[in-house]
Amino acid sequence: MKVKKILSLEWDAIAGIVAAVAAIVLHLLHVVDETVILPIVLALMALLFINFMRHTRSNELTAEQVDHTAHAVSRIQNHLKPPEVILVGPRHLRSSNEHFIRHMNGDTIWFNVCLSMYKPQPLFDVLLRPAVDNPLVTSIQFILDESQKELWQQVIQPKLAACGDSTKVREPRWCNLSKTVSFILADNQLSGGSEALLSFWGEPFMAQTTGRDVPRFIFHVQRHSELLPHLMELAHGCKRVHQAQG
């Protein structure tokens, strides 16, 4: 390391400074006159000019390399496609859900979610109440399997009635749904488009704990994903089936 430090020193500049000091001292001691000092000064000026040119060229090369790197990074970024779906694991489920609900706005769809998740008051307060209290959310539409109607009426409805703005929660659409897909669909004020939290019933995506199914893995579907239109169609298709049955 010491050798590298020594080699990295500007020896030409150091030599020039030493020569200049020596010339000044000799001139003050009347050892040399102006005729000797003048060539030394000219040589020092030439040395400084060469040193300046060398550093200028080095700076130009550095700028060219930085510019080349910036263009290369830009080309790579242009060829990279952002992920359409992000897998969220158990450690980030709560934070991801809270972030999604906090920034959702407009009309929202809650498709085939497991209502037993919201039975414990702490989970209700974390997973569902923030959506009801969110002033940017204009409506909450549940699309549920008919088997959950009793749970809705006896447990979830009383909890919603205790919320401040429960009128935005519409009467659920009761359908015959298979326990396969579950998702929350809403516009996101940050991305400016629709996004979804998607889950699947059963292992390994859901775990059964004390008689209720709890998500273990969810998928955050981004606004540019080709999956979103299919989720919307799935929700709208359920409505048509329900109307046909009625």
Side-chain angles (χ1 to χ4, degrees):
M1 292 297 294
K2 290 183 177 180
V3 175
K4 288 184 178 180
K5 277 189 174 181
I6 293 173
L7 293 176
S8 65
L9 294 175
E10 299 281 351
W11 285 109
D12 50 354
I14 294 173
I17 293 172
V18 171
V21 172
I24 292 172
V25 172
L26 291 174
H27 179 66
L28 292 175
L29 295 175
H30 302 289
V31 176
V32 295
D33 55 16
E34 289 81 357
T35 56
V36 177
I37 294 294
L38 184 59
I40 295 176
V41 171
L42 293 175
L44 289 175
M45 291 179 63
L47 187 63
L48 291 173
F49 182 72
I50 293 172
N51 188 57
F52 173 77
M53 291 183 62
R54 186 182 66 187
H55 283 287
T56 301
R57 180 55 184 163
S58 177
N59 291 338
E60 289 177 353
L61 291 174
T62 302
E64 290 176 1
Q65 290 175 351
V66 170
D67 188 61
H68 177 74
T69 302
H71 280 85
V73 171
S74 178
R75 287 195 299 269
I76 293 173
Q77 288 179 336
N78 290 334
H79 285 84
L80 288 176
K81 292 184 178 180
E84 295 190 8
V85 178
I86 299 174
L87 177 64
V88 181
R91 288 185 298 175
H92 303 288
L93 278 178
R94 176 166 292 190
S95 60
S96 179
N97 186 84
E98 290 176 352
H99 183 271
F100 183 85
I101 292 177
R102 183 166 60 250
H103 297 291
M104 64 167 46
N105 67 319
D107 298 330
T108 65
I109 296 175
W110 302 59
F111 182 88
N112 204 20
V113 296
C114 179
L115 294 182
S116 61
M117 284 191 306
Y118 309 125
K119 287 179 66 176
Q121 191 64 42
L123 288 180
F124 177 86
D125 292 337
V126 170
L127 301 176
L128 185 52
R129 182 187 288 273
V132 180
D133 294 338
N134 186 345
L136 298 177
V137 173
T138 56
S139 71
I140 297 175
Q141 177 66 71
F142 283 91
I143 302 176
L144 302 171
D145 186 73
E146 288 184 336
S147 62
Q148 299 199 81
K149 184 176 290 188
E150 183 178 353
L151 181 58
W152 171 269
Q153 294 172 345
Q154 294 183 2
V155 179
I156 305 302
Q157 261 190 333
K159 291 180 182 293
L160 290 172
C163 296
D165 193 11
S166 60
T167 56
K168 68 174 63 175
V169 182
R170 299 176 179 174
E171 179 65 23
R173 293 189 217 136
W174 300 107
C175 308
N176 292 321
L177 302 175
S178 61
K179 289 187 176 181
T180 307
V181 179
S182 172
F183 60 83
I184 303 172
L185 180 65
D187 291 338
N188 187 287
Q189 58 175 318
L190 295 181
S191 67
S194 296
E195 296 185 5
L197 290 184
L198 171 66
S199 183
F200 296 91
W201 290 77
E203 293 286 351
F205 299 102
M206 281 195 182
Q208 192 169 36
T209 306
T210 61
R212 67 176 182 273
D213 292 300
V214 178
R216 181 183 290 161
F217 294 94
I218 60 175
F219 296 92
H220 188 175
V221 184
Q222 306 296 297
R223 68 180 183 88
H224 54 274
S225 173
E226 296 181 2
L227 184 58
L228 283 173
H230 296 282
L231 297 180
M232 295 178 184
E233 181 63 27
L234 186 60
H236 295 155
C238 173
K239 180 179 179 181
R240 287 193 295 269
V241 169
H242 177 61
Q243 290 176 342
Q245 289 178 344

